[in-house]
Amino acid sequence: MRNTLKISVAIAAASAVALGASACSAPSDTTASDKGDKNAPLVVAASPTPHGSILDFVKNELAEKEGLKLVVKPFNDYKIPNKVTDDGQVDANFFQHKPFLDTFNKENGTHIVPVQNVLIEPLGVYSKKIDKLSELKAGSTVSVPNDPSNEGRALKLLADNGVITLKPGVGSDAKLTDVKDDKGIKITELEAAQTAPRIDDVDAAIINGNFAIGAHLKPSKDALALEKAKDNPYANFLAVKKGNESDPRIKKLAKLLNSPEVKKFIEDKYKDGSVIPAFGPAKS
């Protein structure tokens, strides 16, 4: 498969994150302290790639020098990390963007807040059956992530590239009911984590950056289209339960995640443009 449409990705805010398989359960010695012990290990829930990989780098190369004990707990699910952060099973999480978090908090009564922006993962259109989007026609099938924020991003990406038409004024908050003209293309909703494994079942799939990486897809080479990052509010950030923002361990981790060493690690490891540093304080 060749890349027939290259869309440049600038540092701004984009990406995220993932629904799907069951989460790993934490051993009893890796759960967050319920006694407010600020010297205890900091337990962080994260998507395995790239978030978990970045945290592992921090843990292995940077944390000890800052006096930080870090435990990384991987999840392949988008719902559980916020729940276990909210109920105190873990101290923080790193996997999501603001639109996803806002929707999750509203629907689940959780009180998770962003702390520090770290990266962008551009959403992309991938296929094992076509080489360009113009080959999609009436009867073609396209899968999109089914969580509200990522589905909106996916529909906007399709509209930006002429695959479908959205109602006037609709942007990245689009729903299937906002599709004005699907041009006969069947849009299939899947959990975000299933879009990559089930790519062979459709003519094209819109896949989150972290799942594309996990499926050994290279966005700069394999994507038929990538979302534009400019003015895009999808930076992935470190997040905590409201009230824990001032935890000194959180402050140490936030500082390390925005360090020159992490910037270099991201740029060296993800040379294909699938992950881009996007440092700075996250907006609540």
Side-chain angles (χ1 to χ4, degrees):
M1 176 173 58
R2 67 181 188 275
N3 180 18
T4 57
L5 178 56
K6 295 182 179 179
I7 300 177
S8 62
V9 182
I11 293 181
S15 161
V17 210
L19 281 134
S22 299
C24 304
S25 59
S28 59
D29 60 348
T30 61
T31 54
S33 171
D34 60 359
K35 298 181 180 180
D37 182 1
K38 303 310 178 186
N39 294 315
L42 185 71
V43 184
V44 184
S47 298
T49 51
H51 311 82
S53 297
I54 294 169
L55 288 170
D56 284 338
F57 171 77
V58 171
K59 174 184 176 181
N60 296 330
E61 303 295 333
L62 306 175
E64 185 176 355
K65 297 177 184 178
E66 292 292 328
L68 177 65
K69 299 175 183 177
L70 186 60
V71 175
V72 182
K73 185 179 177 187
F75 286 82
N76 283 318
D77 183 282
Y78 264 10
K79 297 179 180 179
I80 296 177
N82 278 330
K83 291 181 179 179
V84 294
T85 303
D86 194 68
D87 67 18
Q89 292 185 54
V90 302
D91 300 296
N93 65 56
F94 176 32
F95 76 101
Q96 65 192 321
H97 51 61
K98 188 66 162 53
F100 178 87
L101 176 60
D102 288 346
T103 299
F104 189 93
N105 278 335
K106 182 178 179 180
E107 293 181 351
N108 294 277
T110 47
H111 302 85
I112 308 301
V113 295
V115 175
Q116 196 78 16
N117 288 336
V118 182
L119 60 87
I120 299 164
E121 299 170 82
L123 203 68
V125 186
Y126 300 85
S127 177
K128 296 292 183 68
K129 299 179 181 179
I130 62 173
D131 291 324
K132 52 187 177 181
L133 292 180
S134 60
E135 294 177 30
L136 293 173
K137 55 187 183 298
S140 295
T141 54
V142 178
S143 63
V144 300
N146 68 356
D147 59 286
S149 58
N150 284 310
E151 182 170 271
R153 290 173 69 192
L155 294 174
K156 185 176 186 301
L157 179 58
L158 291 174
D160 287 346
N161 288 279
V163 178
I164 62 173
T165 302
L166 295 175
K167 295 176 182 177
V170 176
S172 56
D173 58 347
K175 309 178 190 65
L176 284 180
T177 53
D178 293 316
V179 177
K180 180 180 179 181
D181 184 3
D182 61 16
K183 302 180 182 180
I185 293 171
K186 182 180 179 181
I187 299 175
T188 301
E189 297 174 296
L190 294 175
E191 290 186 346
Q194 295 301 309
T195 54
R198 295 179 61 180
I199 190 172
D200 290 331
D201 297 339
V202 293
D203 294 299
I206 298 186
I207 303 174
N208 291 78
N210 58 318
F211 290 130
I213 297 167
H216 305 292
L217 294 167
K218 296 181 178 180
S220 62
K221 178 182 177 182
D222 298 327
L224 304 183
L226 289 172
E227 67 180 345
K228 296 178 181 178
K230 185 178 180 181
D231 300 323
N232 202 319
Y234 294 101
N236 287 190
F237 46 65
L238 177 69
V240 299
K241 184 175 182 178
K242 186 174 179 61
N244 294 337
E245 302 95 317
S246 297
D247 185 325
R249 300 171 302 164
I250 294 296
K251 290 186 174 182
K252 287 180 180 179
L253 180 56
K255 177 183 175 182
L256 292 175
L257 284 171
N258 275 194
S259 66
E261 293 88 346
V262 167
K263 182 176 185 293
K264 185 177 187 302
F265 173 80
I266 292 173
E267 292 174 341
D268 288 347
K269 186 174 180 64
Y270 303 105
K271 294 179 180 179
D272 59 5
S274 58
V275 181
I276 302 169
F279 293 172
K283 295 182 180 180
S284 297

